[in-house]
């Protein structure tokens, strides 16, 4: 049984660090944070998303790809070369450690769409890239693009998150934002692609929870060209965020009110203009409401959003110290890296904590 | 004396030790079953006339009555069942089409009864509806996903017209004429109180009921009875009836004996004339014609009201629904073959159409495959019997459901299936003033409100069990369903897995 053949519920730990000023953070911090929550994972999946890590290739899409074998790799590369100019390609540096085994071929490509092809397709650049990624993942057996954004990257594997971090030598990367995930699936898929974060373009999602609206959300988002091959909550959430933000132009604040919508009784008490807007969003985008327990960290270009389900059925704590914002499943995971905090709070259910880079930094 | 070929199905069993000869049964029975015989000081009954509606049973003060199966049998024959034989006798005598009512009573699979609902354990908490908000509000209408913004970036909230329901259940089309004034009033008042909608059926809207307009869906059917500008304007939504589950492909017929007084005025036809709805709309012979009617109705109401198109569940229902979803309609209503409250030709009722569960599942899937599910809302009808059926229909893909028979049952109907005769002892399917009076709208509407309140609690319980606190997250959530005793093909069409998978 592999990921995607069956839906597998899982519990988890998440952690995220964001520097508003864009001050480079080291990858070691987030590893330290997530390792405090060791018991919230069971060694069946860990991963990280890191933003601002590829300044040299800031304008290129960084494809991180798992290949089962060389055949899949060459088939996939033929496809990539038919659609993209490849500026650089190499194996993603890893460290051999006994805790991480059975690794696939892990490769990285910095690419840009081939100009004429992009023009011919008459879609915008990011749509062009997204379609190519979805196509590889659906159609090329044994190849899986797990990261495809600009100036960011996802690193994930089967294992405990702290081991996954060491494996990828995450401490050698520097960026303005890191998110991390430790997974506790109730089944044993043992497939690297199933680990979190789940990512498309610059969007990455780490998620703790099991959503009860899954199939309603899945069947809706599949209608708009997002085949959900993994059958995981995270995949669906990431696609919803991509659809609502990139394709429908909703802000992250608006997205929070769609996927973790306030209760009608709350909306009813709002002033007229807010009430109208909330009612409109809930009505038009009702199929994207997510119910059941979740806490998610969404990374995006220049920002991060932390969001709990509307009833706050999963723990999630946020904190601030100077220009740095921390979010984690447990407060201890924040204190271990920054004991001296200006502010610690538990965001209410449905209340998105959205942080972005201070203006002008990027 | 003519030979009587048909022995009555039911017998009135009267316990003479209990009967006090109060003659209540005699007065209550519009079918003249009971009779007082003075010289014997005794009640007797004519079983031939009994329709088994239980009116007398319910009112007998000493519980002296019950209606029992007569037990009379033809010689055992699996092929020529008693029903087949009797129908031949009836037609040999009358030379007419057999009529019956209240939906298909035959032994076809009821898929709702072979579908089970999920509940949360461990990995995902259930939610207690007594402690947490549990949302059952639904909007019906088209949901175009293009966001428009004003100069300062604010969203322009210009959704197309919608119906807002407090509960995903509505009262389906039953015309004034086919049901009584008091039944109609009970239904309209209950809809208002519950924040949902009822449907006028094709008989027009009685002038007294215009005040329930904001909870009224007015129907435009092939006969166009009672349709005028004021009628359209009074309503919250307009339903074009293309077909009906109980009798797909055929029209309607209200006999002249029923088009009296108010009814003829409401339908805008002369008193005593037969109200005949043609089988097709004679201005709709194809899908592009439907589009014209949809837009004429929208024009007539300044695009302020959603337009519903109601079709019977027939074999290629998915393709038809796909056409309707592109016709400008805001809502598609699908009526399954087990449904129906009105009179229908027996053969049509029992042999034409398909079950709502299969029709709904394939329509929802087709609309999603074509990426147009958000163009329309989908209503399911045709024998939704209880709150579990509602939950299953929504999880299969419906936005809301229509109920008809359950509404009449709440008002006292005993499913005797002789509405076509017009002598309903419960004051529902009749126009006889002395019978209509038996249904008190003050009590009737409360019973409907009670029924819906009970269903709401049950729906909330089931949602909470699944860890879902908003009905939107249940819509099309087929992973919450499992089939039992269904074959591969049935599971495939329903889009669900077998229990245990
Ligand atoms: S209602 Fe009952 S008690 Fe009265 S006459 Fe009829 S059978 Fe006898
Ligand atoms: S409405 Fe009246 S006549 Fe029709 S089935 Fe019910 S009880 Fe019988």
């Amino acid at each position: 049984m592999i990921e995607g053949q069956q839906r597998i519920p899982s519990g988890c730990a998440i952690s995220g660090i964001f520097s508003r000023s864009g001050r480079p953070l080291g990858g070691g911090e987030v590893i330290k944070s997530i390792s405090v929550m060791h018991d919230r994972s069971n060694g069946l999946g860990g991963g990280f998303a890191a933003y601002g890590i590829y300044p040299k290739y800031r304008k290129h899409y960084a494809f991180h790809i798992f290949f089962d074998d060389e055949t899949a790799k060459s088939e996939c590369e033929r496809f990539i070369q038919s659609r993209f100019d490849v500026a650089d390609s190499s194996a993603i540096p890893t460290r051999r450690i006994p805790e991480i085994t059975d690794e696939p071929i892990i490769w990285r490509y910095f690419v840009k769409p081939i100009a004429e092809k992009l023009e011919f397709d008459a879609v915008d650049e990011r749509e062009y890239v997204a379609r190519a990624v979805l196509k590889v993942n659906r159609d090329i057996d044994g190849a899986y693009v797990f990261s495809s954004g600009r100036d960011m990257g996802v690193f994930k594997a089967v294992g405990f998150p702290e081991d996954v971090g060491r494996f990828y030598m995450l401490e050698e990367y520097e960026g303005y934002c890191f998110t991390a995930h430790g997974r506790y699936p109730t089944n044993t898929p043992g497939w690297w692609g199933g680990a979190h974060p789940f990512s498309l373009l610059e969007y990455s999602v780490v998620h703790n929870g099991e959503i009860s609206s899954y199939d309603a959300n899945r069947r809706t988002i599949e209608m708009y060209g997002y085949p959900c091959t993994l059958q995981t909550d995270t995949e669906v959430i990431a696609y919803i965020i991509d659809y609502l933000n990139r394709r429908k132009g909703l802000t992250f604040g608006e997205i929070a009110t769609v996927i973790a919508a306030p209760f009608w009784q709350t909306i009813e008490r709002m002033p007229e203009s807010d009430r109208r807007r909330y009612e409109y969003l809930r009505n038009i985008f009702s199929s994207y409401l997510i119910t059941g327990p979740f806490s998610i960290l969404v990374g995006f270009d220049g920002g991060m959003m932390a969001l709990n389900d509307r009833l706050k059925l999963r723990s999630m704590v946020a904190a601030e110290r100077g220009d740095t914002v921390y979010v984690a499943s447990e407060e201890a995971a924040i204190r271990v890296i920054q004991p001296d905090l200006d502010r610690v709070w538990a965001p209410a259910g449905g209340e998105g904590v959205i942080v972005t880079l201070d203006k002008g930094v990027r | 004396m003519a030979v009587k070929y048909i022995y009555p199905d039911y017998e009135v069993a009267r316990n003479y030790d209990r009967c006090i000869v109060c003659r209540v049964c005699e007065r209550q029975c519009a079918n003249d079953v009971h009779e007082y015989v003075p010289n014997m000081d005794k009640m007797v009954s004519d079983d031939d006339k009994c329709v088994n509606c239980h009116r007398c049973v319910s009112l007998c003060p000493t519980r002296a009555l019950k209606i029992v199966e007569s037990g009379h049998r033809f010689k055992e024959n699996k092929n020529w069942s008693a029903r087949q034989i009797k129908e031949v006798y009836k037609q040999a005598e009358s030379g007419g089409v057999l009529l019956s009512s209240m939906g298909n009573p035959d032994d076809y699979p009821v898929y709702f009864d072979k579908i089970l609902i999920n509940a949360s354990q461990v990995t995902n908490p259930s939610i207690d509806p007594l402690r947490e908000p549990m949302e059952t509000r639904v909007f019906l209408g088209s949901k175009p996903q293009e966001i428009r913004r004003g100069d300062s970036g604010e969203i322009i909230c210009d959704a197309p017209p919608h119906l807002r329901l407090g509960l995903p259940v509505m009262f389906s089309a039953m015309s004034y004429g086919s049901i009584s004034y008091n039944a109609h009033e009970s239904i309209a008042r209950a809809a208002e109180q519950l924040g949902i909608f009822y449907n006028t059926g094709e008989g027009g809207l009685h002038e007294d009921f215009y005040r329930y307009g904001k909870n009224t869906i007015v129907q435009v059917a092939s006969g166009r009875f009672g349709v005028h500008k004021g009628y359209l304007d009074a309503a919250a939504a307009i339903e074009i009836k293309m077909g009906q589950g109980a009798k797909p492909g055929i029209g309607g017929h209200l006999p002249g004996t029923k088009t009296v007084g108010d009814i003829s005025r409401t339908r805008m036809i002369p008193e005593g004339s037969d109200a005949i709805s043609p089988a097709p709309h004679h201005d709709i012979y194809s899908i592009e014609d439907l589009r014209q009617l949809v837009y004429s109705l929208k024009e007539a109401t300044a695009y302020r009201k959603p337009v519903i198109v109601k079709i019977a569940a027939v074999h290629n229902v998915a393709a038809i629904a796909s056409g309707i979803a592109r016709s400008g309609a805001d809502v598609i209503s699908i009526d399954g073959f087990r449904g129906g409250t009105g009179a229908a030709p027996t053969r049509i009722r029992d042999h034409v159409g398909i079950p709502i569960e299969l029709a709904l599942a394939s329509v929802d899937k087709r609309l999603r495959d074509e990426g147009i599910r958000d163009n329309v809302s989908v209503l399911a009808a045709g024998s939704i019997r209880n709150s579990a059926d509602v939950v299953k229909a929504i999880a299969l893909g419906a936005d809301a459901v229509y109920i008809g028979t359950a509404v009449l049952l709440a008002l006292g109907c005993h499913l005797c299936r002789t509405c076509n005769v017009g002598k309903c002892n419960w004051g529902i399917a009749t126009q006889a003033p002395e019978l209509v009076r038996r249904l008190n709208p003050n009590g009737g509407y409360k019973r409907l409100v009670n029924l819906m309140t009970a269903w709401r609690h049950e729906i909330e319980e089931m949602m909470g069990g699944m860890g879902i606190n908003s009905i939107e997250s249940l819509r099309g959530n087929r992973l919450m369903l499992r089939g039992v005793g269904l074959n591969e093909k049935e599971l495939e069409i329903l889009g669900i897995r077998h229990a245990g998978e």
Side-chain angles (χ1 to χ4, degrees):
Chain A
M1 181 85 56
I2 65 154
E3 201 92 29
Q5 288 182 336
Q6 198 188 355
R7 189 168 133 73
I8 299 160
S10 54
C12 307
I14 59 174
S15 179
I17 313 174
F18 190 94
S19 161
R20 284 200 176 104
S21 64
R23 173 178 61 87
L25 307 164
E29 294 279 280
V30 79
I31 298 179
K32 210 163 140 194
S33 167
I34 196 83
S35 65
V36 169
M37 298 182 285
H38 183 87
D39 286 352
R40 298 181 78 98
S41 322
N42 64 0
L44 292 175
F48 303 85
Y51 288 79
I53 53 171
Y54 297 135
K56 187 175 161 208
Y57 288 113
R58 181 175 291 174
K59 295 273 184 291
H60 287 77
Y61 294 85
F63 285 3
H64 293 188
I65 310 183
F66 292 137
F67 298 111
D68 287 353
D69 49 40
E70 287 298 334
T71 329
K73 182 162 178 281
S74 39
E75 188 187 347
C76 184
E77 285 181 345
R78 260 199 311 281
F79 173 73
I80 290 178
Q81 276 154 11
S82 74
R83 308 290 294 162
F84 297 93
D85 292 319
V86 182
D88 190 5
S89 82
S90 60
I92 294 183
T94 54
R95 173 189 281 139
R96 304 216 129 262
I97 55 171
E99 290 84 356
I100 303 288
T101 53
D102 294 331
E103 71 255 38
I105 303 168
I106 313 170
W107 218 258
R108 174 163 63 199
Y109 305 81
F110 291 100
V111 306
K112 270 186 183 174
I114 296 172
E116 304 84 71
K117 299 248 165 118
L118 178 61
E119 201 174 317
F120 182 80
D121 281 10
V123 292
D124 76 49
E125 187 178 288
R126 297 172 83 214
E127 177 66 18
Y128 180 95
V129 176
R131 283 185 193 177
V133 169
L134 293 170
K135 183 167 167 54
V136 170
N137 292 352
R138 193 189 51 216
D139 295 343
I140 302 185
D141 227 21
Y144 184 73
V145 184
F146 62 99
S147 186
S148 52
R150 285 169 300 192
D151 200 14
M152 62 81 69
V154 166
F155 305 89
K156 62 185 184 181
V158 172
F160 282 100
E162 57 273 22
D163 299 328
V164 174
R166 277 200 300 139
F167 173 77
Y168 280 108
M169 302 189 286
L170 201 70
E171 71 280 359
E172 298 194 355
Y173 292 85
E174 280 192 337
Y176 62 87
C177 170
F178 285 87
T179 62
H181 187 261
R183 193 171 185 220
Y184 200 133
T186 52
N187 208 320
T188 53
W191 182 57
W192 287 41
H196 298 201
F198 189 87
S199 182
L200 180 67
L201 298 170
E202 288 81 32
Y203 306 98
S204 70
V205 176
V206 293
H207 155 72
N208 170 18
E210 187 196 338
I211 61 178
S212 53
S213 55
Y214 173 78
D215 215 30
N217 301 140
R218 174 189 68 85
R219 297 183 69 232
T220 302
I221 201 69
E222 285 199 333
M223 197 159 79
Y224 295 106
Y226 297 89
C228 296
T229 51
L230 295 187
Q231 297 202 39
T232 62
D233 295 348
T234 324
E235 174 188 44
V236 162
I237 296 171
Y239 288 159
I240 287 178
I241 285 168
D242 177 62
Y243 176 76
L244 294 178
N245 180 252
R246 180 171 63 86
R247 289 180 47 192
K248 295 293 125 188
L250 294 191
T251 65
F252 279 88
E254 288 160 353
I255 290 173
T257 70
V258 166
I259 66 181
F263 287 100
W264 287 116
Q265 58 192 50
T266 311
I267 294 175
E268 233 91 277
R269 289 195 299 265
M270 292 177 177
E272 165 72 13
S273 63
D274 285 353
R275 197 173 53 68
R276 268 176 59 93
R277 188 175 75 250
Y278 278 86
E279 183 171 312
Y280 175 82
L281 287 172
R282 272 203 77 171
N283 173 7
I284 296 296
F285 295 106
S286 61
S287 303
Y288 305 96
L289 175 71
I290 299 175
T291 56
F294 68 84
S295 58
I296 54 172
L297 281 175
V298 180
F300 54 94
D301 189 21
M304 178 175 84
M305 173 170 75
L307 184 67
N308 253 148
D309 64 86
R310 51 215 307 250
L311 286 178
K312 199 168 174 77
L313 295 171
R314 280 287 187 272
S315 58
M316 190 176 77
V317 181
E320 253 176 347
R321 165 70 191 188
D323 76 324
T324 312
V325 176
Y326 304 86
V327 181
S329 300
E330 297 176 13
E331 191 176 328
I334 299 174
R335 296 230 176 244
V336 70
I337 46 173
Q338 181 51 272
D340 192 14
L341 295 163
D342 301 339
R343 182 159 90 102
V344 182
W345 77 102
E351 178 194 308
V353 176
I354 300 162
V355 287
T356 51
L357 289 172
D358 295 336
K359 272 202 169 58
V361 173
R362 272 168 62 82
Chain B
M1 197 175 113
V3 180
K4 277 193 182 159
Y5 282 88
I6 298 176
Y7 191 85
D9 290 334
Y10 303 100
E11 272 170 21
V12 179
R14 191 184 319 266
N15 182 335
Y16 284 100
D17 290 341
R18 290 190 179 184
C19 177
I20 53 171
V21 201
C22 67
R23 300 175 68 173
V24 162
C25 46
E26 187 185 19
R27 287 191 297 277
Q28 288 292 329
C29 186
N31 298 310
D32 299 327
V33 170
H34 305 276
E35 191 184 346
Y36 176 62
V37 188
N39 56 5
M40 294 162 72
D41 188 26
K42 197 177 167 187
M43 301 299 299
V44 293
S45 24
D46 181 352
D47 299 332
D48 257 330
K49 296 178 181 158
C50 178
V51 297
N52 195 8
C53 78
H54 292 192
R55 180 74 188 179
C56 57
V57 174
S58 305
L59 275 107
C60 170
T62 61
R63 290 254 176 265
L65 288 171
K66 61 185 170 184
I67 312 296
V68 295
E69 275 190 57
S70 65
H72 172 79
R73 293 263 179 280
F74 291 95
K75 193 162 185 170
E76 187 79 9
N77 189 327
K78 291 281 182 207
N79 184 33
W80 284 99
S81 65
R83 181 171 161 202
Q84 302 292 349
I85 295 169
K86 281 183 202 168
E87 285 177 352
V88 170
Y89 288 160
K90 276 189 202 160
Q91 291 191 302
E93 192 165 305
S94 70
V97 166
L98 292 170
L99 285 179
S100 48
S101 47
M102 296 309 277
N104 190 332
D106 283 349
D107 186 23
Y108 289 100
V110 178
Y111 287 98
F112 284 132
D113 292 341
K114 297 183 176 191
I115 295 176
L116 298 170
I117 298 167
N118 194 27
S120 316
Q121 297 287 294
V122 186
T123 55
N124 178 344
S126 44
I127 302 170
D128 183 350
L130 297 176
R131 289 162 190 273
E132 306 285 353
M134 200 48 79
E135 301 183 318
T136 54
R137 181 182 297 181
V138 175
F139 289 89
L140 298 182
S142 172
K143 301 188 193 309
Q145 312 241 305
E146 291 318 317
I147 292 287
R148 294 199 299 123
R149 291 183 188 269
D151 295 336
S152 50
E154 80 285 3
I155 293 177
I156 298 172
C157 304
D158 57 351
H162 276 76
L163 292 181
R164 187 175 114 176
L165 282 63
L167 181 74
V169 182
M170 306 198 290
F171 302 144
S172 67
M174 288 178 279
S175 69
Y176 176 48
S178 74
I179 60 169
S180 66
Y181 181 97
N182 286 359
H184 208 109
E185 179 179 338
S186 305
I187 292 169
R189 278 169 67 181
E192 181 180 54
Q193 170 114 1
L194 291 160
I196 59 173
F197 299 84
Y198 79 100
N199 189 311
T200 59
E202 59 176 315
L205 182 62
H206 191 285
E207 57 217 17
D208 294 353
F209 300 139
Y210 273 63
R211 63 203 191 85
Y212 302 108
K214 66 177 188 6
N215 296 91
T216 304
I217 296 168
V218 294
Q219 207 176 52
V220 174
S222 60
R224 299 284 196 276
F225 299 122
V227 178
H228 55 94
K229 177 115 168 66
Y231 170 75
L232 300 177
D233 283 339
I238 302 164
E239 179 172 279
I240 300 172
K241 175 185 149 186
M242 296 304 302
Q244 178 178 344
K247 41 181 172 176
I250 70 163
H253 179 188
L254 190 72
T257 49
K258 290 193 185 176
T259 41
V260 289
D262 280 358
I263 294 168
S264 79
R265 204 165 52 248
T266 306
R267 294 196 178 216
M268 307 196 307
I269 52 173
E271 281 211 43
S273 62
D274 285 7
I276 296 179
S277 304
H281 286 245
H282 282 300
D283 52 357
I284 303 179
Y285 283 4
S286 180
I287 189 78
E288 62 274 16
D289 298 337
L290 174 66
R291 188 181 174 83
Q292 290 200 9
L293 180 58
V294 168
Y295 279 97
S296 323
L297 292 169
K298 288 191 170 203
E299 282 288 340
T301 51
Y303 293 84
R304 283 200 307 267
K305 298 174 198 295
V307 172
I308 304 168
V309 175
K310 174 180 175 178
I311 51 170
V314 290
H315 299 179
N316 56 342
V317 65
I320 298 165
S322 156
I324 295 172
R326 298 171 204 273
S327 73
D330 302 276
V331 182
I332 301 176
S333 169
I334 310 162
D335 201 13
F337 86 141
R338 282 196 310 275
T341 51
T346 308
R347 295 287 172 252
I348 305 279
R349 183 193 69 173
D350 297 349
H351 300 278
V352 181
I354 64 170
I356 184 59
E357 302 92 328
L358 302 179
L360 168 62
S362 65
V363 166
D364 179 66
K365 178 170 190 306
R366 173 70 72 96
L367 296 182
R368 286 174 194 266
D369 287 350
E370 296 184 5
I372 53 175
R373 180 63 180 81
D374 285 325
N375 284 15
V376 285
S377 291
V378 174
L379 293 172
S383 215
I384 305 288
R385 302 157 302 168
N386 54 47
S387 59
D389 288 355
V390 177
V391 166
K392 291 168 189 175
I394 291 176
L396 282 175
D399 288 84
V401 302
Y402 262 137
I403 57 169
T405 305
V407 170
L408 298 189
L409 289 171
L411 294 177
C413 162
H414 276 57
L415 273 188
C416 69
R417 305 203 299 261
T418 50
C419 313
N420 47 315
V421 180
K423 289 192 199 163
C424 175
N425 272 322
W426 295 92
I428 300 167
T430 180
Q431 301 305 328
E434 68 284 3
L435 297 178
V436 174
R437 228 178 298 134
R438 294 179 180 180
L439 175 62
N440 180 348
N442 291 325
Y445 103 91
K446 275 196 203 118
R447 290 180 60 84
L448 271 175
V449 171
N450 285 347
L451 179 71
M452 289 300 99
T453 307
W455 285 22
R456 183 204 308 271
H457 286 312
E458 291 174 340
I459 291 169
E460 289 176 354
E461 291 277 349
M462 283 181 267
M463 282 168 57
M466 288 181 268
I468 287 176
N469 56 9
S470 177
I471 198 94
E472 293 114 298
S473 296
L474 181 63
R475 182 181 51 231
N477 198 336
R478 295 189 185 174
L479 215 48
M480 290 294 167
L481 303 176
R482 289 289 188 278
V484 270
L486 296 176
N487 66 34
E488 287 282 341
K489 193 72 195 175
E490 291 166 321
L491 292 168
E492 178 196 319
I493 294 167
L494 292 167
I496 62 174
R497 297 192 180 177
H498 202 276
E501 271 191 286

